[in-house]
Amino acid sequence: MSTSQPERAVARTQVIMQSTLALAQESGYAKLSIEAVAARAGVGKHTIYRRWPSKGLLFLDSLLSLNEPVLDFPDTGDVLADLRQQTYAAVDLLANPPWGPLYQSLVGEAQHDPAVAAGLSERFIRPQTDRTVARLKSAQDQGQVAPDFDLDLVMAILSGPLYFRLLITQEPMTHDYVDRIFEALFAGLSPRG
Amino acid sequence: MSTSQPERAVARTQVIMQSTLALAQESGYAKLSIEAVAARAGVGKHTIYRRWPSKGLLFLDSLLSLNEPVLDFPDTGDVLADLRQQTYAAVDLLANPPWGPLYQSLVGEAQHDPAVAAGLSERFIRPQTDRTVARLKSAQDQGQVAPDFDLDLVMAILSGPLYFRLLITQEPMTHDYVDRIFEALFAGLSPRG
C-alpha cells in the first residue's frame, strides 16, 4: 500500500522533530544545529528552513510535540489537593529527563530569541495559566481561597518558586519543596493575628 | 609617568570586559564571540581564552563587574517597607537597559553552560539570599513576619514571581506588580478566618 503525499509530509515532520530531540539529548542544545538535524533526519536543510526559520523555533515545536506538558488537573472535588497534585506533576516533569533538561534549554533559548519567547508564552504558558486560574476561581467560589486573592497572580506566585530553582539556583526540585511552598503561601507571611 | 605591569593587566581586563558588554548591547548576546571581543579590545584571542574558557564565563565576569547588582537594603527601621524598596530596586534594574537585557541573556546562557549557572548562583544569588534572609530574620524577631515562616524559601517566594515575568511571560515589570505580589504574599491564599 503506498502512502499519500500528505501522509509522507506528516511522517517527515515527525522524523525531523524526533531527530531534533534526540540530538539535543545526546549533545546538548548548545551544539544542536539545523544541519545536524537534517543529516540525522535524512532530509535537505532547506526542507527544515522552509518551515522553521531558526533552530529555536524548530526546538520549540519538537518539544511541544511530546504532548507531555498537558498537565491536566485531577478532579477529586478538593481543589486545593488537586492543585498540589498538579504541582507535583509539574515538578516531576521539570526535575527529570527527558522533558526537564530540554525545557530548561528552551527557556534558555527564549532569552536570546524573541520568537521562541512568544511561542513559549502563547502556546505553553497561556493555556496552563487559563486552566489554573479557572480552577482557583472555582476554589475561591467554594470559599477555599481568600475572596480577595488576586487570581491573575496565581501562576507567577505558584510557579515562580519552581522556576527560581529550575533556572536560577538549579537546586533539586522535590515534592517536599512543593509542600513547603504551599504551606508558606497559604499561611502568608503576615504575623498570625 | 609609566604604568606598572600589574596596572596594565588590570586596565586590559577592564577593556576586555567593557568590550564584551558593549558588543552584547550592540548585537545581542547570541552573536557575541570571543573573537569579536578580542578585536574590539585590541588583544589577541588567546589573551582572553587564557583567563575565560568560554564566552559565558567572560560575560558573567563582565556583567558582575558593573557593580550595580549590589542591591543593598535601605535601613529605615521598618523592615517590610525596606524589603519593598529593595524589590522596587531589583525591578528597576531587571526591567531596564543596560542591566536587564544583559542579565536576561546571562540567565539564558546559564541554562546551556553549567559553569555559568554555578557562577551566577554562587557569586550573585547566594550573597543576595544571605542578605535577604538576615533582614527577614530581623523582621521575624520583631514580630513583623510570621514566626513559623520558612525563611529558606524567602528568595524563591519573593523573587520567583519577578523571574516568572522576566524569563517566562516577558510581561512588563512595574512597582505596581511588586505591590500586588506583596499584598498577595502577606495576606496569604487561605480564606480569612
Side-chain angles (χ1 to χ4, degrees), chain B residues 61-158:
Chain B
D61 270 5
S62 302
L63 189 55
L64 295 185
S65 78
L66 283 180
N67 276 329
E68 290 193 74
V70 171
L71 294 178
D72 279 328
F73 282 91
D75 191 353
T76 66
D78 178 344
V79 284
L80 295 186
D82 292 351
L83 188 63
R84 188 187 300 254
Q85 284 306 320
Q86 198 264 0
T87 309
Y88 287 162
V91 158
D92 292 343
L93 204 59
L94 291 173
N96 295 297
W99 209 83
L102 293 172
Y103 183 65
Q104 204 178 331
S105 297
L106 180 68
V107 176
E109 183 66 12
Q111 308 317 312
H112 308 303
D113 184 338
V116 172
L120 169 67
S121 184
E122 281 156 32
R123 292 170 53 199
F124 183 59
I125 302 298
R126 170 54 44 203
Q128 234 186 311
T129 301
D130 291 346
R131 281 195 302 272
T132 306
V133 169
R135 200 55 177 255
L136 265 279
K137 177 82 178 63
S138 136
Q140 210 171 38
D141 292 344
Q142 294 169 45
Q144 294 186 305
V145 164
D148 54 353
F149 181 77
D150 189 344
L151 290 180
D152 288 339
L153 297 179
V154 73
M155 276 294 279
I157 286 181
L158 283 177

Side-chain angles (χ1 to χ4, degrees), chain A residues 23-177:
Chain A
L23 284 169
Q25 283 177 259
E26 287 165 23
S27 319
Y29 180 79
K31 293 197 179 131
L32 188 70
S33 71
I34 286 188
E35 286 69 17
V37 172
R40 171 74 65 106
V43 302
K45 68 179 180 178
H46 294 295
T47 302
I48 300 181
Y49 276 116
R50 253 198 308 277
R51 176 143 168 210
W52 292 282
S54 72
K55 153 182 157 173
L57 290 172
L58 169 61
F59 188 62
L60 172 71
D61 270 4
S62 303
L63 189 54
L64 294 186
S65 78
L66 282 180
N67 275 328
E68 289 194 73
V70 172
L71 294 178
D72 279 327
F73 282 92
D75 190 354
T76 66
D78 178 344
V79 285
L80 296 186
D82 292 351
L83 188 63
R84 188 187 300 255
Q85 285 307 319
Q86 198 264 359
T87 310
Y88 286 161
V91 156
D92 292 342
L93 204 58
L94 291 172
N96 294 296
W99 210 81
L102 293 172
Y103 183 65
Q104 204 178 331
S105 296
L106 181 68
V107 175
E109 184 66 12
Q111 309 316 312
H112 309 304
D113 184 338
V116 172
L120 170 67
S121 184
E122 282 155 31
R123 292 171 52 199
F124 182 60
I125 302 298
R126 169 55 44 202
Q128 233 186 313
T129 303
D130 290 347
R131 279 196 303 272
T132 307
V133 169
R135 200 55 178 252
L136 265 280
K137 178 83 180 62
S138 137
Q140 210 171 36
D141 293 344
Q142 294 169 43
Q144 296 187 304
V145 164
D148 54 353
F149 180 78
D150 188 345
L151 289 181
D152 288 340
L153 296 180
V154 72
M155 275 294 279
I157 286 181
L158 284 177
S159 67
L162 307 187
Y163 282 113
F164 183 73
R165 281 221 163 174
L166 182 74
L167 304 172
I168 305 295
T169 66
Q170 306 196 350
E171 291 166 283
M173 276 200 291
T174 60
H175 289 204
D176 175 64
Y177 181 66

